[in-house]
Amino acid sequence: MTADLALDLLSTVLVVAGTAFFTIGTVGLLRLPDLRTRLHALTKADNLGLGLVIAGLVVQAGSVGAAAKLIVIWSLAMLTSPVVASLLARREGLRPAGEAAGGPAEEAADG
């Protein structure tokens, strides 16, 4: 087995695994009962799926610059995904676990 074939095989396995996690996240979004569990399933599965797809593409990247760009894209997605999920949950009136009613979030919204 040549090195190119091994890299192609590794890349294919990573991209297919990432696509499977995207599919699982989408099924979770459609099938789970409430917003909190939907967001949890979607953000976790999509972040892992994107990481695997990016890892598969990094293996095939022709240069260090292209690989660095892919890693920056994944890093930005990792930073924004929890923020978006939190904003969606707050919009729907869900509080973070452990935060009591009348806490700092409500006081800030009232003032």
Side-chain angles (χ1 to χ4, degrees):
M1 184 190 273
T2 65
D4 288 338
L5 181 61
L7 288 177
D8 288 345
L9 183 61
L10 175 64
S11 179
T12 301
V13 168
L14 289 171
V15 170
V16 168
T19 305
F21 274 99
F22 278 129
T23 304
I24 291 167
T26 303
V27 169
L29 177 67
L30 297 174
R31 304 233 356 148
L32 291 172
D34 63 341
L35 182 67
R36 186 171 298 212
T37 55
R38 287 178 182 172
L39 287 174
H40 178 74
L42 189 62
T43 56
K44 302 301 179 198
D46 281 355
N47 283 335
L48 184 58
L50 181 61
L52 290 171
V53 169
I54 293 291
L57 294 176
V58 164
V59 170
Q60 293 293 322
S63 67
V64 174
K69 288 177 187 177
L70 289 168
I71 292 171
V72 166
I73 290 169
W74 183 56
S75 300
L76 290 173
M78 291 292 292
L79 289 172
T80 58
S81 180
V83 173
V84 170
S86 176
L87 290 174
L88 286 172
R90 284 188 184 209
R91 176 72 177 127
E92 290 299 316
L94 297 176
R95 292 184 186 84
E99 184 179 305
E106 279 189 12
E107 291 173 6
D110 292 340

